[in-house]
Amino acid sequence: MRELRYCEAISEAIVQCMAEDPSIFVAGEGVDDPVGTHGTTKEATRLFGRSRVLDLPNSENACAGVAVGAAAQGMRPLVVYTRQDFMFLAMDAVVNLAAKWRYMYGNKGGVPVVTRAVVGRGWGQGATHSQSLHSVFGHFPGLYVATPASPADAKGLLVQALRLDTPTVLVENRGLYQLTGPVPEEAVPIPFGRGRIARHGSDVTVVAASLMVHEAERAADLLAGQGIGVEVIDIRSIRPLDETIVCESVARTGRLVVADTSWARYGFSAEVAAVVAENLPGALRKPVRRLTLPDCPAPVSMPLEQAFHPNAGRIVEACLDLLDGGEVELSAFDDVASGVVGPY
Amino acid sequence: MSSTETQPEDTPIDHRTDLLRQMLRIRRFEERCAELYSASKIRGFLHLYVGEEAVAVGVTHALSEDDALVSTYRDHGHALARGVPMDAVMAEMYGKATGCSRGRGGSMHLFDVRRRFYGGNAIVAGGLPLSVGLALGDVMSGRRRVSACFFGDGAVAEGEFHECLNLAALWQLPVLFCCENNLYAMGTALNQAQAVTDLALRASSYGLTSWPVDGMDVIAVAEAAQRAVEGVRAGAGPCFLELRTYRFRAHSMYDPDRYRDKEEIERWKQRDPIDGLAADLRAHGELTDDELSGIEEGIKKELDQAVAMAETAPVEPVEDLTRFVYAERPR
């Protein structure tokens, strides 16, 4: 299969879906800019013009509701937020209206507003420009929330979102845009709620979302050299959540690490731990380990920021700890996203 | 209907009587709802529109079936004027499965997509962007329709209000913004919330055509709305009507209404839109007592039937509690 970068896979999904469905339009701050949101909306602007790729003013609150209104009568808005942090201003329309529309108005149709929200870390982006908010949106019934980790999933999950009748939030980690991988040429949807085993292993399960899947895979590579089998589960979507794939793996390994780029309290990692506790109360040989953000906002200071983000090294340490397995040399073990040079 | 500015004699007699009938229908519906609420037949919220009927009736009169309407949490009058059947509205008040939102939305979330009634909305100013989005969808699809939106003076305090007026003007969208200025956002008087209380002026600062209208005079509202809709439909961009009105009753059933002078309320009641029009029709020999009784009787019959149907209608089974969060069959 031919390979594409993550950003190219997104662009291809948008262009193919827009060509087959005239009701789809892209909207967001700067989406028609020559750079085109990390290159993801450039081709759509070239092919379909500014009548279908709308530059929005800094009115996140209203624009989120505008998208719901357009969707209410058959349009399919694809709203892009260059930083998910800005979505706090859009919460009312997303949570109070879009997520509840079908239920509250008696099942007279849905409002398929698809949102792409860029998250990420590094470069001193600080407290209000580097948050991953999938756990926040994952809380609300009525939404789908996906965290594509690979180019193929970035395409397939977006294609799926643009064909369903459900408001969806797709979380894209900035550190993944230049990642390459095999991507089908056709617009093949990937269903929500089905995780993927990224690495097979029998000693410890690592459940991860988005960027942390890659950190977990690197940890698995390193531990494989020690004879330790790490099973890496790429959850793909956190709502709906694939409980089965998590439980089946933990039933085999008896050890669980959850690696996530959001906070531990009430977050994705808490949810996965709860699913295991509810379904497999006797399966764990050791307590669950959660590798998440420390309980503080993101700092700008470089050493503090480096200590802030979970990475492969910490996953390795957690796995070894669960296996009582000594130590591994972790020097020169950069983060996956450390090669990213922007633009941020 | 033509504007009286050009053809004052053209307003047909039976048409004015129909406006009266529609206002009475809303008034009687809500009076019955208040009784049913006291009898615990209706639960949850109940925000009455009594006193403001001329606004809903006048504005919806100017809209065509194809146009869209977005409402607020004070939505009974809007829904009834738009043509949502009274029995479906009453059943929704009761929380019954036959309600226009299956009993899941209640008083504040009446909805009827067939009549392009895109919902009561319980978040202040939450409906404004919806109407802008509906209009955007129309323009992108090449349809010539108008999206009208009701909201109160309280919405002016929300950022969304200002963002939406700007977006509609920026994109020249066919939106009719209908501000029901009843002078109070719950218990907060307009002049306690806004430095500039001339709301039509506020709207014009965003580049919208706007003007104030006597919201207690249904003929004035209907004419203003007609003129506004004609402009919006013709592509002249969005329009803003500040409909100056007053609610005779409290904000909701649990509001002791202590923030207003009784005298102020009485003064506005002298301008009751129903009494005013009825007196005018009588004075011009366009309405007899018998005709008025006939109208009242017809409304009572419709209302009795709506209540009877709501009383006996089924509720949704508890097994369906978590249904319809998502589409059941993906396309």
Side-chain angles (χ1 to χ4, degrees):
Chain A
M1 200 181 286
R2 53 71 198 257
E3 297 220 327
L4 287 183
R5 289 182 294 163
Y6 187 95
C7 59
E8 292 166 338
I10 292 168
S11 174
E12 189 171 87
I14 295 172
V15 165
Q16 288 176 341
C17 289
M18 285 179 83
E20 78 185 27
D21 183 349
S23 69
I24 296 172
F25 68 94
V26 179
E29 288 154 28
V31 285
D32 63 341
D33 183 88
V35 176
T37 323
H38 303 272
T40 59
T41 54
K42 201 171 161 182
E43 188 66 0
T45 309
R46 189 181 71 79
L47 288 173
F48 303 106
R50 289 191 163 86
S51 61
R52 286 182 73 189
V53 183
L54 304 186
D55 186 16
L56 297 179
N58 303 323
S59 301
E60 289 89 354
N61 188 353
C63 287
V66 169
V68 176
Q73 62 167 358
M75 301 299 289
R76 288 187 166 275
L78 173 56
V79 187
V80 183
Y81 294 90
T82 51
R83 295 180 192 275
Q84 193 171 27
D85 314 69
F86 306 158
M87 279 193 79
F88 282 123
L89 291 164
M91 288 296 264
D92 178 54
V94 174
V95 175
N96 272 331
L97 201 52
K100 296 170 178 50
W101 186 278
R102 179 182 295 280
Y103 192 90
M104 180 170 78
Y105 291 136
N107 195 31
K108 308 283 170 24
V111 280
V113 176
V114 179
T115 299
R116 290 178 46 213
V118 183
V119 304
R121 69 196 208 188
W123 187 62
Q125 294 180 79
T128 60
H129 277 55
S130 58
Q131 297 169 95
S132 296
L133 302 175
H134 47 283
S135 294
V136 175
F137 289 95
H139 190 58
F140 300 107
L143 297 179
Y144 282 162
V145 182
T147 51
S150 70
D153 284 357
K155 180 174 180 181
L157 290 166
L158 179 52
V159 169
Q160 178 69 1
L162 289 169
R163 289 181 184 174
L164 292 177
D165 262 340
T166 302
T168 302
V169 179
L170 294 152
V171 181
E172 298 167 9
N173 194 298
R174 194 178 289 109
L176 297 175
Y177 281 126
Q178 303 308 317
L179 185 86
T180 57
V183 178
E185 295 198 18
E186 290 76 34
V188 184
I190 290 172
F192 292 110
R194 282 195 212 154
R196 172 181 75 95
I197 298 180
R199 290 291 165 91
H200 289 275
S202 56
D203 296 318
V204 55
T205 299
V206 180
V207 178
S210 186
L211 183 78
M212 294 314 292
V213 173
H214 300 278
E215 298 289 357
E217 286 191 90
R218 283 148 39 90
D221 284 345
L222 196 135
L223 288 168
Q226 311 283 310
I228 295 170
V230 178
E231 184 139 293
V232 177
I233 292 176
D234 171 3
I235 204 68
R236 280 173 154 170
S237 71
I238 69 158
R239 176 179 273 278
L241 182 69
D242 188 347
E243 297 189 10
T244 307
I245 199 169
V246 171
C247 289
E248 284 178 357
S249 178
V250 173
R252 284 193 299 271
T253 62
R255 296 176 185 87
L256 173 64
V257 173
V258 190
D260 186 31
T261 53
S262 67
W263 288 281
R265 288 277 176 266
Y266 316 105
F268 166 62
S269 64
E271 187 60 30
V272 172
V275 162
V276 170
E278 282 172 345
N279 292 284
L280 299 168
L284 289 176
R285 293 185 229 177
K286 285 288 186 77
V288 175
R289 288 291 303 271
R290 295 195 277 163
L291 300 175
T292 61
L293 302 178
D295 215 14
C296 62
V300 166
S301 150
M302 192 184 278
L304 291 187
E305 190 186 37
Q306 280 169 351
F308 181 73
H309 295 290
N311 57 19
R314 285 175 55 198
I315 296 170
V316 167
E317 286 168 356
C319 291
L320 288 173
D321 192 33
L322 290 183
L323 290 156
D324 302 318
E327 288 179 13
V328 171
E329 178 55 48
L330 294 174
S331 63
F333 205 59
D334 285 338
D335 292 354
V336 169
S338 63
V340 175
V341 293
Y344 292 95
Chain B
M1 193 188 88
S2 305
S3 161
T4 48
E5 282 174 16
T6 50
Q7 292 173 298
E9 303 306 320
D10 255 18
T11 307
I13 289 167
D14 63 337
H15 153 73
R16 296 213 303 166
T17 309
D18 186 58
L19 294 179
L20 176 71
R21 193 191 67 80
Q22 287 194 57
M23 290 195 293
L24 263 173
R25 186 169 170 264
I26 294 168
R27 179 75 57 92
R28 299 293 176 252
F29 176 88
E30 291 209 307
E31 287 168 347
R32 185 73 68 91
C33 285
E35 288 169 22
L36 293 165
Y37 194 90
S38 302
S40 299
K41 295 283 188 182
I42 296 172
R43 298 167 59 252
F45 289 93
L46 187 66
H47 302 90
L48 298 178
Y49 194 60
V50 175
E52 305 186 35
E53 296 90 345
V55 175
V57 171
V59 168
T60 52
H61 182 74
L63 300 174
S64 76
E65 279 185 7
D66 261 4
D67 297 330
L69 188 61
V70 179
S71 181
T72 66
Y73 54 85
R74 200 179 302 284
D75 57 349
H76 318 142
H78 303 152
L80 291 172
R82 182 58 188 174
V84 183
M86 188 186 280
D87 50 5
V89 177
M90 187 58 87
E92 190 61 34
M93 308 298 290
Y94 269 73
K96 295 297 183 78
T98 52
C100 56
S101 303
R102 302 178 80 104
R104 289 165 179 238
S107 160
M108 301 198 292
H109 301 109
L110 304 175
F111 189 81
D112 189 342
V113 73
R114 264 186 58 214
R115 288 167 183 84
R116 303 206 73 228
F117 185 76
Y118 286 98
N121 194 309
I123 304 296
V124 172
L128 279 103
L130 208 55
S131 64
V132 174
L134 288 162
L136 177 66
D138 280 337
V139 169
M140 294 183 93
S141 318
R143 288 182 296 240
R144 205 169 259 273
R145 305 193 291 202
V146 174
S147 294
C149 179
F150 287 114
F151 51 91
D153 50 287
V156 178
E158 299 284 356
E160 232 169 352
F161 169 88
H162 303 273
E163 294 181 4
C164 284
L165 262 55
N166 175 60
L167 287 169
L170 178 72
W171 293 333
Q172 288 293 288
L173 296 175
V175 184
L176 175 60
F177 293 102
C178 303
C179 179
E180 300 179 307
N181 180 5
N182 66 17
L183 300 173
Y184 292 88
M186 290 208 299
T188 304
L190 182 62
N191 62 13
Q192 296 294 305
Q194 294 297 324
V196 176
T197 55
D198 183 339
L199 304 183
L201 180 67
R202 301 283 291 276
S204 69
S205 75
Y206 291 102
L208 280 84
T209 306
S210 68
W211 69 93
V213 181
D214 179 0
M216 305 306 274
D217 178 350
V218 70
I219 305 296
V221 174
E223 286 170 359
Q226 185 67 28
R227 181 150 71 93
V229 165
E230 279 167 12
V232 170
R233 203 185 302 286
C239 187
F240 182 100
L241 297 179
E242 180 194 341
L243 301 143
R244 294 181 175 167
T245 184
Y246 199 79
R247 67 174 151 72
F248 295 167
R249 301 187 60 137
H251 165 73
S252 69
M253 298 302 279
Y254 281 104
D255 170 14
D257 203 355
R258 295 204 182 112
Y259 45 83
R260 304 190 291 187
D261 273 352
K262 293 281 175 288
E263 275 177 26
E264 180 184 285
I265 301 172
E266 288 309 314
R267 211 164 50 241
W268 277 92
K269 281 185 174 173
Q270 299 305 308
R271 305 204 47 232
D272 187 316
I274 294 174
D275 293 349
L277 181 57
D280 193 51
L281 288 170
R282 276 209 191 87
H284 288 84
E286 295 171 22
L287 182 73
T288 65
D289 287 348
D290 279 356
E291 283 166 337
L292 187 57
S293 306
I295 291 170
E296 290 275 18
E297 216 167 286
I299 292 169
K300 185 175 182 304
K301 207 172 148 194
E302 185 188 12
L303 198 43
D304 287 345
Q305 188 182 319
V307 171
M309 287 172 75
E311 286 278 348
T312 54
V315 287
E316 278 204 286
V318 173
E319 302 84 76
D320 283 357
L321 175 67
T322 59
R323 281 183 73 187
F324 311 132
V325 176
Y326 297 98
E328 301 208 329
R329 276 180 297 119
R331 296 199 304 179

